[in-house]
Amino acid sequence: MRISLTTSPGYRPFEKGLYQVAPLLKPLNNPFSSPSPPWDSRVFQMDQYQSHYRDSKARSLTDRNEKYLGFDRLEAKAYQAVCWFIARQLTLEYPEDFEVNGEIGDFSLKSKNTEELILFTKESDLKTWAQLSLEVQEDLAIWTMTAQDEWLSAISILSPNHWAPEQKLGKSFAQVHGPVAGIESINSRARQMVETMIEKGPFQRFAWGVATDNRLNHHPIAPTTEDPQAWAGRGFDPLNPKLFVRTERQCLIPFPEVSCSLFTIRTYFEDCEIIKADPRARSALISALESMSPESRIYKGLKDSYQDILSWLQTN
């Protein structure tokens, strides 16, 4: 049983009272050398919900792997560098829970919590990539850049938020983010963004929205075992209100020596009943929602529920 599991403090990026579509990159103050660094300096944040995240990811993998996992023109040296970093970082952040043996290109990662032994070789392997993904609460992606091109070269997105990872694999930054309302100014300098991800950092950033449930996996295509309408979610009922802030903490880790970047997504939920009980937080959330453009409201799934959600938040 994990003995270093901690209680997550969570994040409230809406507290600025403003919804923004911007990079908002903050330095991740982690030298990648200190054992058990402070929580906010960790790339991988393991908390009291670790088993819940693992179970949710495992259920995603019983659906159709290709909806969530894949490689596209990922070079072996980039795969090796990223996997080696993840394994080594886990042993630094959770030294009592993980153990690495071997060297890059031929090593093993032992999880003392799950008793899993993951074997890594020089070649990229989806089974190993999936095993590694189950050991962390974050989703994982790799961006690659060459002199001619940049693209999403690997995914393990087992908790997608109303988007289909398999449709993004192999696409450029601008293509991946094209549907995001208000992204135009960022997409106009897409290559510069990818260069920053690969050559600078590490960084962290936050994205958020409101959700009517706290299910991690919201792939737009429901598993065959689920009712599509119920799976879709985003139906706010003022008579039986359920609302959560869904926050993503995203880390960008550069690997300039192999021209790629590791991109991690850690999802957090906070019940809006708790936020309503905090006058300052409630006021900030209302202000942030009111600052959303009509296009952003549609993109965030609030087209039909926006006014009902605001009214509920404003009512004691």
Side-chain angles (χ1 to χ4, degrees):
M1 179 178 295
R2 170 160 297 160
I3 59 176
S4 58
L5 205 61
T6 188
T7 299
S8 166
Y11 297 96
R12 285 179 168 178
F14 63 85
E15 283 191 319
K16 293 179 290 185
L18 181 66
Y19 177 80
Q20 296 174 280
V21 181
L24 300 176
L25 301 178
K26 300 178 180 179
L28 180 63
N29 298 315
N30 187 340
F32 304 141
S33 60
S34 302
S36 304
W39 180 260
D40 201 45
S41 294
R42 300 185 184 198
V43 177
F44 302 103
Q45 297 187 332
M46 305 283 195
D47 62 17
Q48 69 271 34
Y49 302 112
Q50 193 267 349
S51 61
H52 170 69
Y53 280 64
R54 183 182 177 89
D55 290 345
S56 175
K57 286 186 170 192
R59 286 195 300 273
S60 297
L61 290 173
T62 63
D63 183 12
R64 276 195 299 114
N65 281 8
E66 59 268 26
K67 288 170 61 177
Y68 310 96
L69 294 173
F71 299 134
D72 187 292
R73 293 167 286 160
L74 177 66
E75 291 194 0
K77 61 182 181 180
Y79 172 79
Q80 293 170 33
V82 169
C83 290
W84 178 247
F85 167 80
I86 293 173
R88 291 289 298 161
Q89 194 65 19
L90 287 173
T91 65
L92 285 173
E93 295 177 353
Y94 305 93
E96 297 172 326
D97 303 316
F98 293 95
E99 178 182 309
V100 168
N101 288 293
E103 298 294 337
I104 185 170
D106 183 15
F107 69 96
S108 65
L109 174 68
K110 174 67 179 293
S111 169
K112 299 174 186 178
N113 180 47
T114 63
E115 297 300 320
E116 289 286 334
L117 180 66
I118 308 175
L119 304 177
F120 296 86
T121 62
K122 293 182 179 180
E123 298 302 321
S124 57
D125 176 69
L126 280 178
K127 181 179 178 181
T128 306
W129 184 236
Q131 287 178 297
L132 180 60
S133 302
L134 291 176
E135 293 301 326
V136 297
Q137 288 174 245
E138 285 74 11
D139 279 344
L140 309 171
I142 301 175
W143 289 91
T144 293
M145 183 176 66
T146 65
Q148 296 77 32
D149 203 1
E150 47 84 9
W151 68 96
L152 182 59
S153 56
I155 54 170
S156 176
I157 308 293
L158 299 169
S159 306
N161 187 22
H162 297 278
W163 59 280
E166 75 277 21
Q167 295 178 7
K168 309 294 186 179
L169 185 62
K171 302 293 181 62
S172 69
F173 184 96
Q175 290 171 326
V176 167
H177 295 92
V180 179
I183 197 71
E184 294 79 12
S185 64
I186 298 174
N187 271 353
S188 68
R189 55 185 193 276
R191 185 171 179 88
Q192 181 181 341
M193 279 296 303
V194 179
E195 287 176 349
T196 298
M197 293 166 60
I198 291 174
E199 298 174 2
K200 299 180 181 181
F203 299 108
Q204 64 176 332
R205 67 179 303 274
F206 296 89
W208 68 276
V210 291
T212 54
D213 62 55
N214 59 354
R215 191 176 76 238
L216 287 164
N217 181 4
H218 262 293
H219 193 290
I221 301 175
T224 56
T225 56
E226 301 285 343
D227 174 69
Q229 184 172 355
W231 178 265
R234 289 184 164 176
F236 183 75
D237 182 359
L239 301 179
N240 183 28
K242 295 180 181 179
L243 194 69
F244 303 84
V245 171
R246 179 174 177 139
T247 297
E248 292 181 356
R249 176 185 184 253
Q250 302 170 354
C251 293
L252 297 77
I253 312 300
F255 294 85
E257 68 280 4
V258 290
S259 300
C260 77
S261 174
L262 170 64
F263 183 79
T264 71
I265 306 171
R266 168 64 205 277
T267 300
Y268 285 92
F269 289 100
E270 185 173 8
D271 194 324
C272 285
E273 290 283 6
I274 296 173
I275 294 171
K276 282 187 70 174
D278 179 340
R280 179 177 293 183
R282 177 170 73 165
S283 177
L285 179 57
I286 291 170
S287 176
L289 289 172
E290 288 178 335
S291 75
M292 281 186 174
S293 69
E295 294 78 14
S296 290
R297 297 173 196 172
I298 294 171
Y299 173 70
K300 287 291 184 177
L302 301 177
K303 179 181 179 181
D304 299 323
S305 58
Y306 179 76
Q307 290 300 331
D308 285 338
I309 287 173
L310 274 184
S311 297
W312 178 74
L313 287 171
Q314 291 165 342
T315 302
N316 291 323

